[in-house]
Amino acid sequence: MGTTLFTGCSSFSWKCHQQVAPSCSLAQSSPENGVSSVKAVPGSRGIALADKEKEESWEILSRRRSILVSGISLASSSVLGFPGEGLAVVKQGLLAGRIPGLSEPDDQGWRTYRRPDDKSGGHGVGWSPIIPYAFSVPQEWEEVPVSIADLGGTEIDLRFASSKEGRLFVIVAPVLRFADNLGDNATIEKIGPPEIVINAFGPEVIGENVEGKVLSINTAEHDGRMYYQYELEPPHALITATAAGNRLYLFSVTGSGLQWKRHYKDLKRIAESFRVV
């Protein structure tokens, strides 16, 4: 089969089209010898042929471009596991977000957060999944991102905040950091009495020694599990501590002086709602 070549003033040349120079030429195939020969196309007939050739060429290029784009989209969808959705869905699918765990508000406007079973974060290779925990917050409280640069480092499992009322976070720490004889079914009582626990773990929460800052200590038992409850000042903090599996749980609720004064009742209710489930 002969091959078509473009020489001289190409049919894609806008300048050539406007001048319609007699020297403007198109190549034609020679079926007799299989070799392309160049034939001049003068006059108005040459313009018509050039226009026709240009339209056919652009149609070919358009079809090729369409096929190429479709092929890339299909390949991306198939390889990355998003069949029939295209590149836009691939991009969206790669944006991993936090798994929500909040319930709908109750009749008082409070919602319950339960740590989702599928939430990532094992705090160390070889550790068993974190036993879920739950607590209640007013409706305007929302989950906020956790940074490893935060106080508590990688052991902060969750943060919540309300611009009006205050902040909270949950530290989940391996009990092996503090004792090697507690096994895989630790209890807060095995770790120590309330005074020992707050002196040992209080700095994990407030970032400084707790001596002279503990205003009150209480204990509460729910479903056979013991919880130690503390109020510290300054800084203003309510801490609930318990243990489950091979981990210690520290739940801290805090706020500014003004938030503490205005919303202490809500903050205390949040702190006392913490449960390991």
Side-chain angles (χ1 to χ4, degrees):
M1 180 181 294
T3 303
T4 302
L5 302 174
F6 289 90
T7 62
C9 293
S10 169
S11 62
F12 293 111
S13 171
W14 175 251
K15 183 177 179 181
C16 176
H17 182 277
Q18 283 201 326
Q19 292 179 348
V20 198
S23 60
C24 182
S25 58
L26 296 173
Q28 292 184 330
S29 299
S30 174
E32 292 84 359
N33 53 22
V35 179
S36 298
S37 61
V38 178
K39 180 179 180 181
V41 186
S44 59
R45 183 169 178 270
I47 297 174
L49 290 175
D51 286 343
K52 182 179 179 181
E53 184 73 11
K54 181 169 65 175
E55 291 174 359
E56 293 174 350
S57 300
W58 278 115
E59 288 176 0
I60 293 172
L61 290 175
S62 298
R63 286 197 298 269
R64 289 178 178 175
R65 181 173 58 186
S66 176
I67 293 171
L68 179 61
V69 171
S70 300
I72 293 174
S73 177
L74 179 61
S76 300
S77 301
S78 300
V79 172
L80 296 178
F82 298 89
E85 296 293 343
L87 295 176
V89 174
V90 171
K91 182 178 180 181
Q92 182 179 5
L94 295 176
L95 300 176
R98 296 185 302 275
I99 302 176
L102 276 171
S103 70
E104 292 298 318
D106 62 16
D107 55 359
Q108 296 180 338
W110 284 63
R111 299 188 293 176
T112 297
Y113 175 88
R114 183 189 186 280
R115 189 185 195 276
D117 295 332
D118 295 333
K119 182 177 179 180
S120 61
H123 300 296
V125 176
W127 286 96
S128 59
I130 294 175
I131 298 175
Y133 51 80
F135 57 87
S136 297
V137 290
Q139 186 170 349
E140 67 272 10
W141 286 65
E142 297 289 348
E143 185 177 355
V144 296
V146 173
S147 169
I148 61 174
D150 288 342
L151 181 66
T154 58
E155 291 175 351
I156 292 185
D157 189 63
L158 180 76
R159 279 191 181 277
F160 262 67
S162 162
S163 59
K164 182 177 73 173
E165 294 193 346
R167 305 174 305 281
L168 69 80
F169 60 88
V170 183
I171 292 177
V172 184
V175 295
L176 282 176
R177 280 183 48 199
F178 317 104
D180 58 5
N181 59 348
L182 298 176
D184 292 329
N185 190 25
T187 64
I188 196 70
E189 303 99 302
K190 288 181 181 180
I191 295 175
E195 295 79 9
I196 296 296
V197 170
I198 191 60
N199 288 329
F201 306 119
E204 296 274 331
V205 178
I206 68 172
E208 57 184 277
N209 197 297
V210 299
E211 185 177 356
K213 301 180 185 298
V214 182
L215 298 182
S216 66
I217 299 176
N218 294 291
T219 62
E221 185 175 342
H222 302 284
D223 298 324
R225 192 181 308 282
M226 182 65 68
Y227 296 81
Y228 295 165
Q229 299 169 341
Y230 310 92
E231 182 173 346
L232 280 67
E233 187 180 299
H236 299 290
L238 293 164
I239 301 171
T240 300
T242 193
N246 51 20
R247 292 181 173 87
L248 172 73
Y249 293 75
L250 296 169
F251 181 70
S252 175
V253 181
T254 185
S256 66
L258 185 59
Q259 290 171 330
W260 206 255
K261 182 178 180 180
R262 291 180 175 178
H263 305 288
Y264 176 81
K265 184 178 179 180
D266 280 354
L267 297 174
K268 190 169 180 63
R269 177 177 171 180
I270 294 170
E272 293 179 349
S273 71
F274 183 75
R275 304 283 189 276
V276 174
V277 297

